[in-house]
Amino acid sequence: MSETTGASYAAAGVDIEAGDLAVELMKEWVRKATRPEVVGGLGGFAGLFDASALKRYERPLLASATDGVGTKVDIARRMGVYDTIGHDLVGMVVDDLVVCGAEPLFMTDYICVGKVHPDRVAAIVKGIAEGCVLAGCALVGGETAEHPGLLGADEFDVAGAGTGVVEADRLLGADRIRKGDAVIAMASSGLHSNGYSLVRHVLFDRAGWELDREVPELGRTLGEELLEPTKIYSLDCLALTRTAEVHAFSHITGGGLANNLARVIPDHLHATVDRSTWTPDPIFGLVGELGGVARPELEKTLNMGVGMIAVVPQESVDVALATFADRDVDAWVAGEITDRADHAEAVALEGDYS
């Protein structure tokens, strides 16, 4: 077989040179997403983090989480906007870490593409790096994989993993929650990164809307609304743990408010959440109306305007709300913790949205 007709990696669809260029383009952004504990730079086989920083802890517990952003990547691809999807990825990971009170330390990412477009890959990493800055963690490494034949030339997916640390005696969770505690809700920035399979089915397949459609209720195009980045709460939640007593957090993602809050409610207690304490953004109503989606289905799929919950004792409520106000976080008391009746669910949503 001659050299001119022999098989090659490039002929199989993998462009090593394009991958190398993507790494060069992303280095500027990765350098901005760092912490003093990071050792070395981009390009090694593994990211390094100086664990001696954990010596200040009496009993450090490492927390880990991994996630992706689901079918929201299809919106980014169709919009040709690649530098915001990384915010979603970071938010999905670090806000799972902070639920137990852990400070996010570092993240790694995995980007899988059908064909490496260096500028696009760099834009995705730019968004991830910016998200890490917002979360107070470092981006210590990642991987870009080219999968021709499995993904189309313009298709991609992203995933990430993060590590955090929390002092053992400050670990938050169900065992801290007490009867009488207040349930404080923090507003979402929109859909975040969950429920997009339902949203896309309703808005595109059933309603026939296009991404460039101007939607008066939203005050912008449909595409701009759907691509709104996930709000990252980690530094806000950590700030709250320094100013007030906190018993638990709950990150409202896939499954909705009731199902996610139930994960931190002990068996003998019950959380009541009053819908009338907030008004969901118009996008939630549009999905419900255009798709004929019943409220229970919406509430178990979408966040309905609440992205994070804090459970605090009553005496901490004023300080908690003041802390969030100082940090420009829209937060309010949405419910309380009571005894659980026999055969009752862990969480009940009551009333109607205002």
Side-chain angles (χ1 to χ4, degrees), residues 32-47:
K32 297 179 179 180
T34 190
R35 289 173 55 115
E37 303 93 338
V38 174
V39 178
L42 185 67
F45 285 90

Side-chain angles (χ1 to χ4, degrees), residues 12-15 18 73-74 77-78 82 111-121 124 144-157:
V14 177
D15 190 338
V73 297
D74 183 59
R77 178 188 64 81
R78 293 173 60 179
Y82 303 95
I111 304 171
C112 182
V113 300
K115 176 179 175 58
V116 172
H117 300 278
D119 55 337
R120 296 181 188 178
V121 173
I124 295 170
T144 300
E146 194 169 19
H147 288 178
L150 295 182
L151 294 174
D154 289 328
E155 294 180 330
F156 71 97
D157 199 8

Side-chain angles (χ1 to χ4, degrees), residues 12-188:
V14 177
D15 190 338
I16 295 177
E17 287 75 16
D20 291 341
L21 177 57
V23 172
E24 286 301 315
L25 293 175
M26 70 178 67
K27 282 183 177 179
E28 171 192 355
W29 302 106
V30 176
R31 279 194 292 266
K32 297 179 179 180
T34 190
R35 289 173 55 115
E37 303 93 338
V38 174
V39 178
L42 185 67
F45 285 90
L48 300 175
F49 191 90
D50 186 355
S52 67
L54 305 183
K55 289 181 179 179
R56 70 178 186 271
Y57 291 85
E58 291 287 331
R59 184 187 168 205
L61 300 180
L62 292 180
S64 65
T66 185
D67 211 337
V69 298
T71 59
K72 189 171 183 175
V73 297
D74 183 59
I75 308 299
R77 178 188 64 81
R78 293 173 60 179
M79 291 282 289
V81 177
Y82 303 95
D83 62 352
T84 62
I85 202 76
H87 289 234
D88 298 284
L89 178 63
V90 175
M92 290 296 101
V93 173
V94 301
D95 288 337
D96 277 355
L97 294 175
V98 82
V99 161
C100 67
E103 175 190 1
L105 298 175
F106 57 84
M107 273 192 66
T108 56
D109 64 63
Y110 177 78
I111 304 171
C112 182
V113 300
K115 176 179 175 58
V116 172
H117 300 278
D119 55 337
R120 296 181 188 178
V121 173
I124 295 170
V125 174
K126 171 180 178 287
I128 297 172
E130 290 174 338
C132 285
V133 171
L134 292 174
C137 68
L139 181 60
V140 297
E143 173 72 8
T144 300
E146 194 169 19
H147 288 178
L150 295 182
L151 294 174
D154 289 328
E155 294 180 330
F156 71 97
D157 199 8
V158 295
T163 298
V165 62
V166 59
E167 189 69 74
D169 64 6
R170 296 185 64 80
L171 185 68
L172 304 180
D175 60 330
R176 289 182 178 264
I177 294 180
R178 299 289 182 266
K179 178 182 177 181
D181 282 354
V183 175
I184 295 180
M186 289 167 252
S188 68

